[in-house]
Amino acid sequence: MIPKLTDHSFYQTIESASAPTLVGFWSPGCRNCGALLYELERLSEEKGKEIFIYKININENAKIPAEYQISDLPA
């Protein structure tokens, strides 16, 4: 399972990561987001600790997506 990030935990988690980190921005109603999260889950299982993969729900966390100017999903 891909761990969730929030507006509150985003920077602390990213800055303390000891490996390359990928964050998927998604929305529950987005079919393409679901497809991307499925592939990211597979990648996470395959790569283990070589790369950290997280997800952030833009419907529940608006601050970080706004800072990164996320306008299309998935991102």
Side-chain angles (χ1 to χ4, degrees):
M1 175 173 264
I2 299 174
K4 297 177 185 178
L5 292 179
T6 64
D7 286 338
H8 180 70
S9 67
F10 183 83
Y11 286 112
Q12 180 181 4
T13 302
I14 300 304
E15 291 172 358
S16 66
S18 59
T21 304
L22 184 148
V23 177
F25 292 86
W26 70 288
S27 173
C30 171
R31 290 179 62 158
N32 290 334
C33 296
L36 177 61
L37 289 176
Y38 174 77
E39 294 300 327
L40 291 178
E41 185 72 41
R42 290 180 55 210
L43 180 63
S44 177
E45 291 171 3
E46 181 182 313
K47 293 299 180 181
K49 297 296 180 188
E50 294 176 48
I51 182 171
F52 295 125
I53 299 176
Y54 297 95
K55 62 184 176 181
I56 186 166
N57 181 335
I58 66 157
N59 293 343
E60 297 173 353
N61 303 280
K63 180 183 173 195
I64 297 300
E67 286 182 22
Y68 284 90
Q69 300 178 352
I70 304 297
S71 59
D72 293 318
L73 293 177

